[in-house]
Amino acid sequence: MNELMLTTHSLKKIDAEVAKYPPERKQSAVMMALIIAQDEKGWLSTEVMDYVAKYLGMPSVAVYEVATF
């Protein structure tokens, strides 16, 4: 991730959510990560969802499924 799509503040909030889960289950924080991203950006573009997916180490399609549920 060369360019920060989200602010350091938002990434720290996401990290705090990720820390609530065992390392192998960090994807469980995807819903809160999307909420944090949406709070910052105002909406969820595919670029932001792709960024969240990469940040959490999960497929983009899995993030899209959560975001559109």
Side-chain angles (χ1 to χ4, degrees):
M1 280 179 259
N2 298 338
E3 179 184 325
L4 285 181
M5 178 75 57
L6 298 172
T7 63
T8 304
H9 178 71
S10 289
L11 294 176
K12 285 181 181 179
K13 288 168 72 174
I14 292 171
D15 289 342
E17 293 299 322
V18 168
K20 295 177 181 178
Y21 301 95
E24 68 277 4
R25 309 277 286 158
K26 71 181 186 177
Q27 293 89 354
S28 298
V30 67
M31 181 67 82
M32 282 307 300
L34 289 171
I35 290 169
I36 292 164
Q38 185 172 346
D39 284 349
E40 177 184 323
K41 297 295 187 181
W43 69 294
L44 291 172
S45 67
T46 54
E47 292 82 12
V48 170
M49 288 188 281
D50 289 341
Y51 185 85
V52 168
K54 219 176 259 189
Y55 194 78
L56 295 177
M58 58 192 299
S60 294
V61 69
V63 173
Y64 302 159
E65 288 172 350
V66 172
T68 59
F69 177 67

